[in-house]
Amino acid sequence: MRFDLVTLHPEMLVPVAAGGILRGAQDKGLIEIHLHDLRLFSPDEHGIVDDRPFGGGAGMVMRPEPFARALEAIAAAAGRRPYAVLLSPQGVRFTQQVAQDLARQPALALLCGRYEGVDERVVALCDLELSIGDYVLAGGELAAAVVLETTARMVPGVVGRHESAATDSFYSGPKLGYPQYTRPRVFRGMEVPEVLLSGDHEKIRRWREREAWRKTLRNRPDLVGLSLPPTPTG
Ligand code: SAM
């Protein structure tokens, strides 16, 4: 699968693409990651990509041309039109299900905004406007990194021996993952649940299922239609 990320700050994404599971997936030839500096697609000789908002108001808005030109250049380089996603707090909410759907695309372009946001006509150039949550970041780069890593994990073969996607939170519906334990058996007086040492696989499976639901109800009752617990500050 091919990922193209378009940003004013490719340097923020270099370490993301160069490390961990994403590095391994590239080395195995399972994914390609291409970072693009949006300024290089500006029609302006000084690389200007923003302007004042029509109608007035604070801040600057990113112009549509550089994004359009970037998408055209990516399509030419990839030999196909990528599925284009604009990162935006106004987008549909990113979930594990969205990541699984995106991972079926052969080519995905992630467009990062900055400043007060992006000219609305860029939405029309894209297939999806996507938000990673109900809060506002200063730019789309961290959101793109989240979408990139989560989606890449769903590409067959990327998740290897050291982790398993199938037991992850959200993987099979609105349920969190079960609690995990490793050595030592007793840590500062806290013991590993006896059942996990029993060797009885059916008993362990049932315990994990029950604990996963217990944690879901405690931390994320909204997933099963109940109201959320209070936030840490009340
Ligand atoms: N004025 C915009 C609004 O109220 O919707 C927010 C602009 S934000 C400061 C700048 C850029 O950060 C956005 O264009 C988007 O690319 C990115 N961004 C901010 N929060 C985001 C989120 N929750 N999900 C995805 N992208 C986000």
mmCIF file of all heavy atoms in Angstrom, residues 186-219:
data_model
loop_
_atom_site.group_PDB
_atom_site.id
_atom_site.type_symbol
_atom_site.label_atom_id
_atom_site.label_comp_id
_atom_site.label_asym_id
_atom_site.label_seq_id
_atom_site.Cartn_x
_atom_site.Cartn_y
_atom_site.Cartn_z
ATOM 1 N N VAL A 186 4.590 -11.399 40.906
ATOM 2 C CA VAL A 186 4.167 -10.450 41.943
ATOM 3 C C VAL A 186 4.991 -9.181 41.765
ATOM 4 O O VAL A 186 6.226 -9.224 41.748
ATOM 5 C CB VAL A 186 4.385 -11.016 43.366
ATOM 6 C CG1 VAL A 186 3.889 -10.012 44.411
ATOM 7 C CG2 VAL A 186 3.680 -12.360 43.526
ATOM 8 N N PHE A 187 4.333 -8.065 41.577
ATOM 9 C CA PHE A 187 5.018 -6.786 41.402
ATOM 10 C C PHE A 187 4.484 -5.814 42.456
ATOM 11 O O PHE A 187 3.299 -5.482 42.455
ATOM 12 C CB PHE A 187 4.762 -6.247 39.993
ATOM 13 C CG PHE A 187 5.225 -4.840 39.796
ATOM 14 C CD1 PHE A 187 6.581 -4.520 39.814
ATOM 15 C CD2 PHE A 187 4.317 -3.810 39.598
ATOM 16 C CE1 PHE A 187 7.006 -3.221 39.647
ATOM 17 C CE2 PHE A 187 4.731 -2.506 39.429
ATOM 18 C CZ PHE A 187 6.087 -2.204 39.460
ATOM 19 N N ARG A 188 5.377 -5.415 43.375
ATOM 20 C CA ARG A 188 5.004 -4.491 44.454
ATOM 21 C C ARG A 188 3.695 -4.903 45.136
ATOM 22 O O ARG A 188 2.781 -4.089 45.324
ATOM 23 C CB ARG A 188 4.919 -3.068 43.927
ATOM 24 C CG ARG A 188 6.269 -2.624 43.379
ATOM 25 C CD ARG A 188 6.347 -1.189 43.049
ATOM 26 N NE ARG A 188 7.691 -0.906 42.545
ATOM 27 C CZ ARG A 188 8.101 0.262 42.104
ATOM 28 N NH1 ARG A 188 7.288 1.286 42.110
ATOM 29 N NH2 ARG A 188 9.326 0.428 41.664
ATOM 30 N N GLY A 189 3.591 -6.152 45.397
ATOM 31 C CA GLY A 189 2.430 -6.685 46.123
ATOM 32 C C GLY A 189 1.238 -6.994 45.237
ATOM 33 O O GLY A 189 0.249 -7.554 45.710
ATOM 34 N N MET A 190 1.317 -6.640 43.960
ATOM 35 C CA MET A 190 0.174 -6.903 43.054
ATOM 36 C C MET A 190 0.434 -8.200 42.297
ATOM 37 O O MET A 190 1.457 -8.328 41.606
ATOM 38 C CB MET A 190 0.014 -5.745 42.062
ATOM 39 C CG MET A 190 -0.409 -4.448 42.731
ATOM 40 S SD MET A 190 -0.525 -3.089 41.551
ATOM 41 C CE MET A 190 1.186 -2.600 41.393
ATOM 42 N N GLU A 191 -0.545 -9.139 42.430
ATOM 43 C CA GLU A 191 -0.339 -10.469 41.849
ATOM 44 C C GLU A 191 -1.030 -10.621 40.499
ATOM 45 O O GLU A 191 -2.079 -10.029 40.264
ATOM 46 C CB GLU A 191 -0.888 -11.528 42.801
ATOM 47 C CG GLU A 191 -0.018 -11.687 44.023
ATOM 48 C CD GLU A 191 -0.507 -12.798 44.931
ATOM 49 O OE1 GLU A 191 -1.209 -13.704 44.458
ATOM 50 O OE2 GLU A 191 -0.183 -12.729 46.132
ATOM 51 N N VAL A 192 -0.414 -11.409 39.636
ATOM 52 C CA VAL A 192 -1.052 -11.779 38.371
ATOM 53 C C VAL A 192 -2.265 -12.658 38.706
ATOM 54 O O VAL A 192 -2.147 -13.559 39.544
ATOM 55 C CB VAL A 192 -0.047 -12.567 37.489
ATOM 56 C CG1 VAL A 192 -0.729 -13.149 36.262
ATOM 57 C CG2 VAL A 192 1.122 -11.676 37.082
ATOM 58 N N PRO A 193 -3.430 -12.405 38.077
ATOM 59 C CA PRO A 193 -4.601 -13.249 38.360
ATOM 60 C C PRO A 193 -4.278 -14.739 38.170
ATOM 61 O O PRO A 193 -3.682 -15.124 37.155
ATOM 62 C CB PRO A 193 -5.637 -12.765 37.337
ATOM 63 C CG PRO A 193 -5.240 -11.354 37.047
ATOM 64 C CD PRO A 193 -3.738 -11.319 37.138
ATOM 65 N N GLU A 194 -4.690 -15.524 39.152
ATOM 66 C CA GLU A 194 -4.372 -16.956 39.221
ATOM 67 C C GLU A 194 -4.754 -17.694 37.919
ATOM 68 O O GLU A 194 -4.012 -18.554 37.439
ATOM 69 C CB GLU A 194 -5.144 -17.540 40.422
ATOM 70 C CG GLU A 194 -4.609 -18.849 40.943
ATOM 71 C CD GLU A 194 -3.153 -18.780 41.404
ATOM 72 O OE1 GLU A 194 -2.796 -17.806 42.103
ATOM 73 O OE2 GLU A 194 -2.384 -19.691 41.028
ATOM 74 N N VAL A 195 -5.891 -17.322 37.360
ATOM 75 C CA VAL A 195 -6.410 -18.043 36.188
ATOM 76 C C VAL A 195 -5.400 -18.022 35.028
ATOM 77 O O VAL A 195 -5.292 -18.992 34.265
ATOM 78 C CB VAL A 195 -7.783 -17.463 35.743
ATOM 79 C CG1 VAL A 195 -7.676 -16.002 35.345
ATOM 80 C CG2 VAL A 195 -8.377 -18.264 34.595
ATOM 81 N N LEU A 196 -4.618 -16.948 34.916
ATOM 82 C CA LEU A 196 -3.678 -16.840 33.794
ATOM 83 C C LEU A 196 -2.500 -17.794 33.956
ATOM 84 O O LEU A 196 -1.752 -18.036 33.004
ATOM 85 C CB LEU A 196 -3.169 -15.393 33.663
ATOM 86 C CG LEU A 196 -4.249 -14.349 33.359
ATOM 87 C CD1 LEU A 196 -3.649 -12.954 33.275
ATOM 88 C CD2 LEU A 196 -4.968 -14.681 32.046
ATOM 89 N N LEU A 197 -2.331 -18.323 35.170
ATOM 90 C CA LEU A 197 -1.235 -19.267 35.418
ATOM 91 C C LEU A 197 -1.739 -20.713 35.388
ATOM 92 O O LEU A 197 -0.973 -21.649 35.553
ATOM 93 C CB LEU A 197 -0.601 -18.978 36.792
ATOM 94 C CG LEU A 197 -0.248 -17.508 37.062
ATOM 95 C CD1 LEU A 197 0.174 -17.319 38.510
ATOM 96 C CD2 LEU A 197 0.862 -17.050 36.131
ATOM 97 N N SER A 198 -3.066 -20.869 35.142
ATOM 98 C CA SER A 198 -3.682 -22.184 35.291
ATOM 99 C C SER A 198 -3.377 -23.119 34.118
ATOM 100 O O SER A 198 -3.457 -24.339 34.273
ATOM 101 C CB SER A 198 -5.207 -22.036 35.406
ATOM 102 O OG SER A 198 -5.732 -21.592 34.156
ATOM 103 N N GLY A 199 -3.073 -22.536 32.944
ATOM 104 C CA GLY A 199 -2.859 -23.382 31.774
ATOM 105 C C GLY A 199 -4.169 -23.871 31.154
ATOM 106 O O GLY A 199 -4.162 -24.585 30.155
ATOM 107 N N ASP A 200 -5.301 -23.496 31.738
ATOM 108 C CA ASP A 200 -6.614 -23.911 31.212
ATOM 109 C C ASP A 200 -7.077 -22.868 30.183
ATOM 110 O O ASP A 200 -7.579 -21.797 30.542
ATOM 111 C CB ASP A 200 -7.600 -24.011 32.391
ATOM 112 C CG ASP A 200 -8.975 -24.516 31.951
ATOM 113 O OD1 ASP A 200 -9.356 -24.295 30.780
ATOM 114 O OD2 ASP A 200 -9.674 -25.109 32.797
ATOM 115 N N HIS A 201 -6.893 -23.179 28.901
ATOM 116 C CA HIS A 201 -7.111 -22.178 27.848
ATOM 117 C C HIS A 201 -8.548 -21.693 27.763
ATOM 118 O O HIS A 201 -8.793 -20.522 27.496
ATOM 119 C CB HIS A 201 -6.635 -22.726 26.496
ATOM 120 C CG HIS A 201 -5.160 -22.979 26.487
ATOM 121 N ND1 HIS A 201 -4.240 -21.978 26.692
ATOM 122 C CD2 HIS A 201 -4.444 -24.115 26.353
ATOM 123 C CE1 HIS A 201 -3.030 -22.481 26.672
ATOM 124 N NE2 HIS A 201 -3.106 -23.780 26.478
ATOM 125 N N GLU A 202 -9.492 -22.598 27.983
ATOM 126 C CA GLU A 202 -10.899 -22.199 27.918
ATOM 127 C C GLU A 202 -11.246 -21.255 29.066
ATOM 128 O O GLU A 202 -11.919 -20.246 28.883
ATOM 129 C CB GLU A 202 -11.794 -23.461 27.929
ATOM 130 C CG GLU A 202 -13.287 -23.185 27.869
ATOM 131 C CD GLU A 202 -13.716 -22.255 26.720
ATOM 132 O OE1 GLU A 202 -12.997 -22.154 25.707
ATOM 133 O OE2 GLU A 202 -14.780 -21.599 26.867
ATOM 134 N N LYS A 203 -10.723 -21.577 30.255
ATOM 135 C CA LYS A 203 -10.960 -20.720 31.420
ATOM 136 C C LYS A 203 -10.332 -19.332 31.191
ATOM 137 O O LYS A 203 -10.940 -18.309 31.523
ATOM 138 C CB LYS A 203 -10.294 -21.347 32.651
ATOM 139 C CG LYS A 203 -11.239 -21.722 33.754
ATOM 140 C CD LYS A 203 -10.432 -22.470 34.773
ATOM 141 C CE LYS A 203 -10.896 -22.337 36.163
ATOM 142 N NZ LYS A 203 -10.061 -23.136 37.057
ATOM 143 N N ILE A 204 -9.132 -19.315 30.617
ATOM 144 C CA ILE A 204 -8.429 -18.050 30.349
ATOM 145 C C ILE A 204 -9.220 -17.230 29.324
ATOM 146 O O ILE A 204 -9.415 -16.027 29.477
ATOM 147 C CB ILE A 204 -6.983 -18.319 29.855
ATOM 148 C CG1 ILE A 204 -6.154 -18.921 30.988
ATOM 149 C CG2 ILE A 204 -6.342 -17.046 29.323
ATOM 150 C CD1 ILE A 204 -4.784 -19.421 30.576
ATOM 151 N N ARG A 205 -9.714 -17.909 28.293
ATOM 152 C CA ARG A 205 -10.483 -17.206 27.255
ATOM 153 C C ARG A 205 -11.718 -16.541 27.865
ATOM 154 O O ARG A 205 -12.012 -15.377 27.603
ATOM 155 C CB ARG A 205 -10.894 -18.185 26.151
ATOM 156 C CG ARG A 205 -11.471 -17.516 24.909
ATOM 157 C CD ARG A 205 -12.210 -18.502 24.028
ATOM 158 N NE ARG A 205 -13.351 -19.119 24.682
ATOM 159 C CZ ARG A 205 -14.494 -18.507 24.952
ATOM 160 N NH1 ARG A 205 -14.677 -17.258 24.593
ATOM 161 N NH2 ARG A 205 -15.476 -19.151 25.571
ATOM 162 N N ARG A 206 -12.420 -17.286 28.722
ATOM 163 C CA ARG A 206 -13.642 -16.743 29.328
ATOM 164 C C ARG A 206 -13.319 -15.595 30.278
ATOM 165 O O ARG A 206 -14.015 -14.595 30.312
ATOM 166 C CB ARG A 206 -14.431 -17.853 30.053
ATOM 167 C CG ARG A 206 -15.294 -18.644 29.070
ATOM 168 C CD ARG A 206 -16.289 -19.555 29.765
ATOM 169 N NE ARG A 206 -15.684 -20.858 30.030
ATOM 170 C CZ ARG A 206 -15.498 -21.380 31.233
ATOM 171 N NH1 ARG A 206 -15.890 -20.743 32.306
ATOM 172 N NH2 ARG A 206 -14.924 -22.550 31.382
ATOM 173 N N TRP A 207 -12.225 -15.723 31.034
ATOM 174 C CA TRP A 207 -11.808 -14.654 31.957
ATOM 175 C C TRP A 207 -11.473 -13.378 31.155
ATOM 176 O O TRP A 207 -11.895 -12.274 31.522
ATOM 177 C CB TRP A 207 -10.577 -15.109 32.762
ATOM 178 C CG TRP A 207 -10.091 -14.068 33.729
ATOM 179 C CD1 TRP A 207 -10.516 -13.879 35.014
ATOM 180 C CD2 TRP A 207 -9.100 -13.059 33.471
ATOM 181 N NE1 TRP A 207 -9.840 -12.819 35.579
ATOM 182 C CE2 TRP A 207 -8.968 -12.296 34.665
ATOM 183 C CE3 TRP A 207 -8.305 -12.723 32.379
ATOM 184 C CZ2 TRP A 207 -8.084 -11.223 34.777
ATOM 185 C CZ3 TRP A 207 -7.418 -11.665 32.492
ATOM 186 C CH2 TRP A 207 -7.313 -10.917 33.678
ATOM 187 N N ARG A 208 -10.763 -13.554 30.069
ATOM 188 C CA ARG A 208 -10.379 -12.380 29.261
ATOM 189 C C ARG A 208 -11.596 -11.687 28.670
ATOM 190 O O ARG A 208 -11.671 -10.458 28.639
ATOM 191 C CB ARG A 208 -9.395 -12.808 28.155
ATOM 192 C CG ARG A 208 -8.017 -13.091 28.707
ATOM 193 C CD ARG A 208 -7.057 -13.570 27.646
ATOM 194 N NE ARG A 208 -5.689 -13.489 28.108
ATOM 195 C CZ ARG A 208 -4.666 -14.090 27.525
ATOM 196 N NH1 ARG A 208 -4.860 -14.837 26.443
ATOM 197 N NH2 ARG A 208 -3.450 -13.939 28.003
ATOM 198 N N GLU A 209 -12.529 -12.499 28.201
ATOM 199 C CA GLU A 209 -13.755 -11.940 27.619
ATOM 200 C C GLU A 209 -14.500 -11.113 28.680
ATOM 201 O O GLU A 209 -14.923 -9.987 28.435
ATOM 202 C CB GLU A 209 -14.626 -13.112 27.113
ATOM 203 C CG GLU A 209 -15.948 -12.714 26.496
ATOM 204 C CD GLU A 209 -15.821 -12.096 25.113
ATOM 205 O OE1 GLU A 209 -14.703 -12.057 24.558
ATOM 206 O OE2 GLU A 209 -16.847 -11.597 24.605
ATOM 207 N N ARG A 210 -14.647 -11.688 29.890
ATOM 208 C CA ARG A 210 -15.367 -11.001 30.967
ATOM 209 C C ARG A 210 -14.643 -9.709 31.367
ATOM 210 O O ARG A 210 -15.246 -8.660 31.508
ATOM 211 C CB ARG A 210 -15.470 -11.954 32.169
ATOM 212 C CG ARG A 210 -16.526 -11.542 33.167
ATOM 213 C CD ARG A 210 -16.718 -12.585 34.263
ATOM 214 N NE ARG A 210 -15.505 -12.912 34.970
ATOM 215 C CZ ARG A 210 -14.937 -14.119 34.986
ATOM 216 N NH1 ARG A 210 -15.487 -15.111 34.329
ATOM 217 N NH2 ARG A 210 -13.827 -14.336 35.664
ATOM 218 N N GLU A 211 -13.305 -9.795 31.494
ATOM 219 C CA GLU A 211 -12.536 -8.619 31.914
ATOM 220 C C GLU A 211 -12.551 -7.520 30.852
ATOM 221 O O GLU A 211 -12.540 -6.334 31.169
ATOM 222 C CB GLU A 211 -11.093 -9.013 32.245
ATOM 223 C CG GLU A 211 -10.962 -9.851 33.495
ATOM 224 C CD GLU A 211 -11.570 -9.173 34.722
ATOM 225 O OE1 GLU A 211 -11.273 -7.991 34.963
ATOM 226 O OE2 GLU A 211 -12.355 -9.828 35.440
ATOM 227 N N ALA A 212 -12.561 -7.925 29.573
ATOM 228 C CA ALA A 212 -12.628 -6.934 28.490
ATOM 229 C C ALA A 212 -13.941 -6.152 28.597
ATOM 230 O O ALA A 212 -13.966 -4.926 28.467
ATOM 231 C CB ALA A 212 -12.513 -7.622 27.136
ATOM 232 N N TRP A 213 -15.036 -6.862 28.861
ATOM 233 C CA TRP A 213 -16.328 -6.172 28.993
ATOM 234 C C TRP A 213 -16.368 -5.319 30.253
ATOM 235 O O TRP A 213 -16.896 -4.212 30.253
ATOM 236 C CB TRP A 213 -17.480 -7.173 28.986
ATOM 237 C CG TRP A 213 -17.819 -7.605 27.594
ATOM 238 C CD1 TRP A 213 -17.710 -8.854 27.070
ATOM 239 C CD2 TRP A 213 -18.284 -6.768 26.529
ATOM 240 N NE1 TRP A 213 -18.073 -8.865 25.745
ATOM 241 C CE2 TRP A 213 -18.439 -7.593 25.382
ATOM 242 C CE3 TRP A 213 -18.584 -5.409 26.414
ATOM 243 C CZ2 TRP A 213 -18.880 -7.097 24.157
ATOM 244 C CZ3 TRP A 213 -19.034 -4.912 25.180
ATOM 245 C CH2 TRP A 213 -19.173 -5.756 24.080
ATOM 246 N N ARG A 214 -15.745 -5.842 31.351
ATOM 247 C CA ARG A 214 -15.732 -5.082 32.604
ATOM 248 C C ARG A 214 -15.020 -3.742 32.388
ATOM 249 O O ARG A 214 -15.479 -2.692 32.803
ATOM 250 C CB ARG A 214 -15.005 -5.901 33.683
ATOM 251 C CG ARG A 214 -15.359 -5.459 35.097
ATOM 252 C CD ARG A 214 -14.373 -6.000 36.097
ATOM 253 N NE ARG A 214 -14.321 -7.450 36.210
ATOM 254 C CZ ARG A 214 -15.142 -8.184 36.941
ATOM 255 N NH1 ARG A 214 -16.095 -7.621 37.618
ATOM 256 N NH2 ARG A 214 -14.998 -9.488 37.002
ATOM 257 N N LYS A 215 -13.885 -3.798 31.664
ATOM 258 C CA LYS A 215 -13.114 -2.577 31.422
ATOM 259 C C LYS A 215 -13.864 -1.631 30.484
ATOM 260 O O LYS A 215 -13.848 -0.419 30.658
ATOM 261 C CB LYS A 215 -11.750 -2.937 30.824
ATOM 262 C CG LYS A 215 -10.768 -1.824 30.937
ATOM 263 C CD LYS A 215 -9.344 -2.324 30.863
ATOM 264 C CE LYS A 215 -8.410 -1.237 31.307
ATOM 265 N NZ LYS A 215 -7.012 -1.599 31.169
ATOM 266 N N THR A 216 -14.543 -2.225 29.505
ATOM 267 C CA THR A 216 -15.321 -1.402 28.566
ATOM 268 C C THR A 216 -16.407 -0.638 29.327
ATOM 269 O O THR A 216 -16.597 0.569 29.130
ATOM 270 C CB THR A 216 -15.963 -2.283 27.473
ATOM 271 O OG1 THR A 216 -14.922 -3.022 26.823
ATOM 272 C CG2 THR A 216 -16.711 -1.450 26.448
ATOM 273 N N LEU A 217 -17.105 -1.338 30.210
ATOM 274 C CA LEU A 217 -18.187 -0.682 30.958
ATOM 275 C C LEU A 217 -17.649 0.368 31.915
ATOM 276 O O LEU A 217 -18.285 1.397 32.141
ATOM 277 C CB LEU A 217 -19.008 -1.720 31.721
ATOM 278 C CG LEU A 217 -19.879 -2.605 30.820
ATOM 279 C CD1 LEU A 217 -20.515 -3.730 31.613
ATOM 280 C CD2 LEU A 217 -20.950 -1.769 30.122
ATOM 281 N N ARG A 218 -16.441 0.113 32.461
ATOM 282 C CA ARG A 218 -15.872 1.077 33.409
ATOM 283 C C ARG A 218 -15.360 2.340 32.689
ATOM 284 O O ARG A 218 -15.665 3.458 33.078
ATOM 285 C CB ARG A 218 -14.729 0.430 34.195
ATOM 286 C CG ARG A 218 -14.229 1.331 35.322
ATOM 287 C CD ARG A 218 -13.195 0.635 36.189
ATOM 288 N NE ARG A 218 -11.943 0.470 35.474
ATOM 289 C CZ ARG A 218 -11.252 -0.669 35.432
ATOM 290 N NH1 ARG A 218 -11.709 -1.744 36.023
ATOM 291 N NH2 ARG A 218 -10.114 -0.727 34.767
ATOM 292 N N ASN A 219 -14.573 2.131 31.616
ATOM 293 C CA ASN A 219 -13.910 3.282 30.971
ATOM 294 C C ASN A 219 -14.667 3.865 29.785
ATOM 295 O O ASN A 219 -14.539 5.052 29.513
ATOM 296 C CB ASN A 219 -12.506 2.885 30.491
ATOM 297 C CG ASN A 219 -11.567 2.649 31.646
ATOM 298 O OD1 ASN A 219 -11.892 2.969 32.783
ATOM 299 N ND2 ASN A 219 -10.403 2.112 31.360
#
